[in-house]
Amino acid sequence: AQSVTQPDIHITVSEGASLELRCNYSYGATPYLFWYVQSPGQGLQLLLKYFSGDTLVQGIKGFEAEFKRSQSSFNLRKPSVHWSDAAEYFCAVGEVKAAGNKLTFGGGTRVLVKP
Amino acid sequence: AAGVIQSPRHLIKEKRETATLKCYPIPRHDTVYWYQQGPGQDPQFLISFYEKMQSDKGSIPDRFSAQQFSDYHSELNMSSLELGDSALYFCASSFWTPLEDTEAFFGQGTRLTVV
């Protein structure tokens, strides 16, 4: 069965500093990987996704993620954090079925941004 | 652009009552997914439908049922509600193709509170 681990429950970062969120996955085949962001009381917004090809993926809001098969990781990065980046971030792995992708989410990492 | 519409946004029910959550997918999307996110938890997959047929099933209680209608909207029916059913319920939709590049788009969620 597929699984996703986000080792950091909370991360506090100063505005303007860099951010890296860790994600490790377990999946039997080539994974489909996603990062979602959730603001309090809001839905899930897709930041970026990896299906195949270039292992460095660019997303929205200045985020990027790198797929490393040897480490089973898909870490999310942002060079300079803005106060509006305070939110919860979920890494997810997609299971390809005959129709559609069922997502398995990690436990999430809550990011706090200090002024 | 049209997004996934969920209604109602908020719902308060008493124990042992029933609730119906509705989801209207993005036009031309043929696959609908339901997820449950408990307080402080990551979203958990409940069930999905493709072309009005159940395509996958996760940790959905027997008290819950769901279906997808001819216009592709979906309803999640929850009976004999328990306090533990209080959660944010997300619907997501996607358009399935044999190609790799598919992703699910999430609605804003329905917050169910059972008192």
Side-chain angles (χ1 to χ4, degrees):
Chain A
Q2 60 199 41
S3 65
V4 179
T5 302
Q6 293 180 245
D8 304 304
I9 298 175
H10 293 101
I11 285 183
T12 300
V13 61
S14 297
E15 191 169 14
S18 63
L19 174 69
E20 181 166 11
L21 304 182
R22 295 183 291 166
C23 172
N24 294 97
Y25 67 89
S26 173
Y27 188 63
T30 300
Y32 291 178
L33 295 162
F34 306 82
W35 275 100
Y36 285 87
V37 61
Q38 184 180 31
S39 297
Q42 299 299 310
L44 294 161
Q45 182 182 23
L46 180 69
L47 287 175
L48 47 77
K49 61 190 179 188
Y50 171 79
F51 288 128
S52 64
D54 193 347
T55 57
L56 184 62
V57 180
Q58 301 297 319
I60 62 171
K61 304 185 179 185
F63 284 93
E64 67 177 26
E66 187 170 12
F67 170 60
K68 292 186 178 180
R69 184 187 300 275
S70 62
Q71 298 178 18
S72 297
S73 70
F74 189 56
N75 294 347
L76 181 72
R77 297 191 293 256
K78 185 168 183 177
S80 178
V81 168
H82 187 262
W83 65 266
S84 61
D85 294 322
E88 183 134 26
Y89 292 79
F90 290 97
C91 180
V93 61
E95 179 178 344
V96 179
K97 293 288 194 178
N101 286 342
K102 178 183 78 173
L103 295 175
T104 298
F105 289 86
T109 299
R110 183 168 296 279
V111 173
L112 304 174
V113 180
K114 294 189 302 184
Chain B
V4 177
I5 306 296
Q6 291 188 245
S7 69
R9 289 293 310 277
H10 301 272
L11 189 59
I12 300 176
K13 290 286 186 178
E14 295 187 354
K15 284 192 302 183
R16 293 180 289 278
E17 284 193 318
T18 61
T20 297
L21 279 53
K22 297 184 179 182
C23 170
Y24 298 87
I26 292 172
R28 294 186 298 280
H29 280 194
D30 51 19
T31 306
V32 168
Y33 314 79
W34 286 97
Y35 290 84
Q36 176 192 56
Q37 185 180 28
Q41 303 295 313
D42 57 288
Q44 295 289 318
F45 172 74
L46 292 178
I47 196 167
S48 64
F49 293 86
Y50 167 68
E51 284 291 344
K52 293 151 279 184
M53 299 289 289
Q54 181 181 308
S55 55
D56 201 356
K57 191 173 181 181
S59 51
I60 183 169
D62 292 340
R63 298 177 290 108
F64 294 6
S65 65
Q67 58 182 322
Q68 186 180 30
F69 294 86
S70 58
D71 63 352
Y72 295 101
H73 94 273
S74 178
E75 295 183 4
L76 177 65
N77 298 293
M78 310 159 71
S79 62
S80 302
L81 287 169
E82 303 173 356
L83 295 178
D85 296 328
S86 296
L88 191 56
Y89 290 83
F90 286 111
C91 174
S93 74
S94 69
F95 176 72
W96 180 77
T97 82
L99 304 175
E100 291 186 349
D101 195 5
T102 62
E103 68 179 82
F105 294 82
F106 283 79
Q108 293 284 75
T110 294
R111 182 167 296 283
L112 172 67
T113 303
V114 181
V115 297

